[in-house]
Amino acid sequence: MALKVTIVVGNPKPKSRTLKVAETLVEKLLVPGSYELEIIDLADHTGEIFAWPSDTMAALNERVAASDLAVFASPTYKASYTGLLKAFLDRYPANGLAGVTAIPVHTGGDLTHAMGPTVNLAPLLVELGAVVPGRGFYFVAGQMDHLDEIVSQAAAEYARNLARLAVVAGAAASHSAPVA
Amino acid sequence: MALKVTIVVGNPKPKSRTLKVAETLVEKLLVPGSYELEIIDLADHTGEIFAWPSDTMAALNERVAASDLAVFASPTYKASYTGLLKAFLDRYPANGLAGVTAIPVHTGGDLTHAMGPTVNLAPLLVELGAVVPGRGFYFVAGQMDHLDEIVSQAAAEYARNLARLAVVAGAAASHSAPVA
Amino acid sequence: MALKVTIVVGNPKPKSRTLKVAETLVEKLLVPGSYELEIIDLADHTGEIFAWPSDTMAALNERVAASDLAVFASPTYKASYTGLLKAFLDRYPANGLAGVTAIPVHTGGDLTHAMGPTVNLAPLLVELGAVVPGRGFYFVAGQMDHLDEIVSQAAAEYARNLARLAVVAGAAASHSAPVA
Amino acid sequence: MALKVTIVVGNPKPKSRTLKVAETLVEKLLVPGSYELEIIDLADHTGEIFAWPSDTMAALNERVAASDLAVFASPTYKASYTGLLKAFLDRYPANGLAGVTAIPVHTGGDLTHAMGPTVNLAPLLVELGAVVPGRGFYFVAGQMDHLDEIVSQAAAEYARNLARLAVVAGAAASHSAPVA
């Protein structure tokens, strides 16, 4: 069965380079044909992001929560993820991303805020119950010419991490407790 | 083949309750007989933790780096992990825990510092290349009477997370790139 | 001359308890009559927070940047400040709150996320050039009956901190360098 | 009366460049003759840092706690302060640095970990009751030739921040509550 994969882009401007980085990461990480991809560009939903209730937003939230893998990609604003991305994640109840493997991605102008995806976005996704299989991925926007090469290295690291996690998974006891 | 599992305890006082919490977590998480466990109580090594070089410390560092699963357990000191645990981790080169599945554990007096293992210890382990399969685990010391029950819930969550990660691992492309 | 003081509330719901907590903090911290207070309830501006340009938002941003003291108050969403508050702060250029003394306030249901204002909101305000005179203030919503008493203690700590900072200020060299 | 100023260096190697950076920062920040400076190089105390009790360590802890201004300087180890510095700070009781104005300094090889002093060391000092008058200061070790110039800019920013804080201090109510 195909893996459900979603990219969520938190840039208030649509069709950004940040989206391109996330798409490339998915391509490099997964075997072609093994997944179906949906892209959620939050720039298309700024008018509804604070509406409550909202069928549109609820459907988007649901889609991400049902993903096997979700990439959350944001430009660096004030050393962290955007308010737009946070506003989308704020719509979830506690533990709303339980069981989702999540990769945090930030793009930025230079290395000054390279710690952002690891110290800001990753703990946020984990708070929602997601699991982050390694470091957050930070991409310096000026390196778009080397996008494939840089993203391939990051993808290889995530793939190795996932393979190692699968080994531990094999020895984990099965628990009958319901998902919290 | 048996899983290699290590517990590293960062309490300057030996044989602490923090160690007990970590041991219980390993017991609840893994199938009995599927692993071999080694315990490193850093309280036994305070005299050598800043020695350089040190064969003893190098052997301990190596053992942890070669683990499939490592639990890093620390009492909460100043809202974070202890300096003793950090001093042990400081001995690693960059990426020194690559491929290790790591669970951060803090114990504390009340919930005030419950975010500590997720926002302080987890990013530190991730910086070293380890992968944390979910939230950090925070245990309120006054709950020792309910240790089994509370730890079982946490273990069930880690087990579910690992199972979901294994699904994604199955679709990850294999990369021939050498481990960084 | 009267001190310029602003409260910025990041709750998507208007007239929240979070606002009440911030108002009480200002009352307890400052000498009556020594300041003029403006309140910005971001719940009134969700429709424009992503509009660019926006005269309304620009005026609000300017007012806060021109404050001597600003209290940034948010309910705890996912262990951190709200996306609404972040979206407001994202509108500033780098260093946009230079020279503002800023107090981060979070309200929450229990102590689980008590570290939030200190590890999440404070570094965000500091990134913008603001100065935070001590810990972030976390208020447990169930304690509204003891609001005055709890806030008075926090205010006393900020007042003592400010007095001590003033001593150091007296010995600081004057620099002719322009504000970055 | 002269200001009490202390530099605490967390480098396990003595007389480091990190110490030089901290000394320069104090020189640039304060008016000559307005202060008395003491330097604590923790490299000289690795043998006693985990001893309990220890008269030597207690005297050092006391000196720092009695300072008007303290600069805490550490090389970047694993994206954060050293375990040695943390071990020194772990010796304090809760709120042990109340009333101290503290400047966090990290040195590092490049900008990758530039967020470290602001997101790791600053919250740690704040947890102990200290007040940090602005951003943490991160110095790229390869820039030693421009040390004076770079540090002067940082010092100017701290001086401006302190001057602005003094204005707010002037309007703060006096509280008779005892220091917590």
Side-chain angles (χ1 to χ4, degrees):
Chain A
M1 214 179 60
L3 217 63
K4 278 190 166 180
V5 180
T6 310
I7 291 172
V8 180
V9 182
N11 196 330
K13 291 160 206 152
K15 297 185 181 32
S16 59
R17 282 182 303 186
T18 300
L19 165 55
K20 178 71 183 158
V21 172
E23 285 182 302
T24 308
L25 180 57
V26 170
E27 277 165 35
K28 301 291 183 193
L29 179 60
L30 298 177
V31 173
S34 70
Y35 62 96
E36 47 180 47
L37 173 65
E38 185 164 327
I39 291 167
I40 298 175
D41 198 337
L42 293 177
D44 300 334
H45 304 285
T46 54
E48 272 193 277
I49 200 105
F50 295 113
W52 200 266
S54 157
D55 290 348
T56 307
M57 297 313 299
L60 296 177
N61 278 120
E62 229 168 275
R63 161 75 206 202
V64 181
S67 301
D68 296 292
L69 173 71
V71 176
F72 295 87
S74 174
T76 301
Y77 278 20
K78 316 309 152 206
S80 189
Y81 46 77
T82 61
L84 180 57
L85 178 55
K86 182 62 163 59
F88 178 74
L89 294 170
D90 283 350
R91 299 183 68 96
Y92 283 102
N95 229 20
L97 292 179
V100 177
T101 299
I103 298 184
V105 174
H106 282 191
T107 53
D110 64 25
L111 286 175
T112 307
H113 299 130
M115 288 172 61
T118 300
V119 304
N120 288 324
L121 185 46
L124 172 59
L125 298 171
V126 163
E127 170 65 26
L128 280 160
V131 180
V132 176
R135 258 179 274 267
F137 179 54
Y138 184 86
F139 185 80
V140 176
Q143 299 285 306
M144 286 302 281
D145 286 353
H146 304 281
L147 178 64
D148 265 39
E149 182 189 330
I150 294 170
V151 170
S152 288
Q153 283 193 342
E157 188 172 326
Y158 290 123
R160 283 192 303 269
N161 288 347
L162 287 163
R164 291 293 299 268
L165 286 158
V167 172
V168 179
S174 61
H175 292 264
S176 52
V179 175
Chain B
M1 214 179 61
L3 219 61
K4 278 191 167 180
V5 180
T6 311
I7 290 172
V8 180
V9 182
N11 196 330
K13 290 159 206 151
K15 296 187 181 28
S16 59
R17 284 182 301 185
T18 300
L19 166 55
K20 178 73 183 156
V21 172
E23 285 181 302
T24 307
L25 180 56
V26 170
E27 277 165 34
K28 302 290 183 192
L29 178 59
L30 298 177
V31 173
S34 70
Y35 63 95
E36 47 179 48
L37 173 65
E38 183 163 328
I39 291 167
I40 298 175
D41 198 337
L42 293 176
D44 300 335
H45 304 286
T46 54
E48 272 194 279
I49 200 105
F50 294 113
W52 198 266
S54 156
D55 290 347
T56 307
M57 296 314 298
L60 296 176
N61 277 121
E62 230 168 274
R63 160 74 205 202
V64 181
S67 300
D68 296 291
L69 174 70
V71 175
F72 296 87
S74 174
T76 300
Y77 277 21
K78 316 308 152 207
S80 189
Y81 47 76
T82 61
L84 179 58
L85 178 55
K86 181 61 164 57
F88 178 74
L89 294 170
D90 283 350
R91 300 182 68 96
Y92 283 103
N95 229 20
L97 293 179
V100 177
T101 298
I103 298 183
V105 174
H106 282 191
T107 52
D110 63 25
L111 286 174
T112 306
H113 299 130
M115 288 172 62
T118 301
V119 304
N120 287 325
L121 184 47
L124 172 59
L125 298 171
V126 163
E127 170 67 24
L128 280 161
V131 180
V132 176
R135 259 178 273 266
F137 179 53
Y138 184 85
F139 186 81
V140 177
Q143 300 285 306
M144 287 302 281
D145 287 353
H146 303 280
L147 179 64
D148 265 37
E149 182 189 331
I150 294 169
V151 170
S152 288
Q153 282 194 341
E157 188 172 326
Y158 290 123
R160 283 191 303 268
N161 288 348
L162 287 163
R164 290 293 300 267
L165 287 158
V167 172
V168 179
S174 62
H175 293 264
S176 52
V179 175
Chain C
M1 214 178 60
L3 218 61
K4 279 191 167 180
V5 180
T6 310
I7 291 173
V8 180
V9 181
N11 196 330
K13 291 160 208 152
K15 295 186 182 30
S16 59
R17 283 183 301 187
T18 301
L19 166 55
K20 177 72 183 158
V21 172
E23 284 182 303
T24 307
L25 180 56
V26 171
E27 277 166 34
K28 301 291 184 193
L29 179 59
L30 299 177
V31 173
S34 71
Y35 63 95
E36 48 179 46
L37 173 65
E38 184 164 327
I39 291 168
I40 298 174
D41 198 338
L42 293 176
D44 300 335
H45 304 286
T46 54
E48 271 193 281
I49 201 107
F50 294 113
W52 198 267
S54 156
D55 289 348
T56 307
M57 296 314 298
L60 296 177
N61 277 120
E62 229 167 276
R63 161 72 206 205
V64 181
S67 299
D68 296 292
L69 174 70
V71 176
F72 295 87
S74 174
T76 301
Y77 278 21
K78 316 309 153 206
S80 189
Y81 46 76
T82 61
L84 180 58
L85 178 55
K86 181 61 163 59
F88 178 74
L89 294 170
D90 283 350
R91 300 183 68 97
Y92 282 103
N95 229 19
L97 293 179
V100 177
T101 298
I103 298 183
V105 174
H106 282 192
T107 52
D110 64 24
L111 286 175
T112 307
H113 299 130
M115 287 171 61
T118 300
V119 304
N120 287 324
L121 185 46
L124 172 59
L125 299 171
V126 163
E127 170 66 25
L128 280 161
V131 180
V132 176
R135 259 179 274 266
F137 179 54
Y138 184 84
F139 185 81
V140 177
Q143 300 284 306
M144 287 301 282
D145 286 354
H146 304 281
L147 179 64
D148 266 38
E149 181 188 332
I150 294 169
V151 170
S152 288
Q153 282 193 341
E157 188 173 326
Y158 290 123
R160 283 192 303 268
N161 287 348
L162 287 163
R164 290 292 300 267
L165 286 157
V167 171
V168 178
S174 61
H175 293 263
S176 51
V179 174
Chain D
M1 213 178 61
L3 219 61
K4 278 191 167 180
V5 180
T6 311
I7 290 173
V8 180
V9 182
N11 196 330
K13 291 159 206 151
K15 294 185 182 32
S16 59
R17 282 183 302 187
T18 300
L19 166 55
K20 178 71 183 159
V21 172
E23 285 181 302
T24 307
L25 180 56
V26 170
E27 276 166 34
K28 302 290 183 192
L29 179 59
L30 298 177
V31 173
S34 69
Y35 63 96
E36 48 180 46
L37 173 64
E38 184 164 328
I39 291 168
I40 298 175
D41 198 338
L42 294 176
D44 300 335
H45 304 286
T46 54
E48 272 194 279
I49 200 104
F50 295 113
W52 199 266
S54 157
D55 289 348
T56 306
M57 296 315 298
L60 296 177
N61 277 121
E62 228 168 277
R63 162 72 205 204
V64 181
S67 300
D68 296 291
L69 174 70
V71 176
F72 296 87
S74 174
T76 300
Y77 278 21
K78 316 310 152 204
S80 189
Y81 46 77
T82 61
L84 179 59
L85 179 55
K86 181 62 164 58
F88 178 74
L89 294 170
D90 283 349
R91 300 183 68 97
Y92 283 102
N95 230 19
L97 292 179
V100 177
T101 298
I103 298 183
V105 174
H106 282 192
T107 53
D110 62 25
L111 286 175
T112 307
H113 299 130
M115 288 171 61
T118 300
V119 304
N120 287 325
L121 184 47
L124 172 59
L125 299 171
V126 163
E127 169 66 25
L128 280 161
V131 180
V132 176
R135 259 178 273 267
F137 179 54
Y138 184 85
F139 185 81
V140 177
Q143 300 285 305
M144 288 301 282
D145 286 354
H146 304 281
L147 178 64
D148 266 37
E149 183 188 330
I150 294 169
V151 170
S152 289
Q153 283 193 342
E157 189 172 324
Y158 290 123
R160 283 192 304 267
N161 287 347
L162 287 163
R164 290 294 298 268
L165 287 158
V167 172
V168 179
S174 61
H175 293 262
S176 51
V179 174

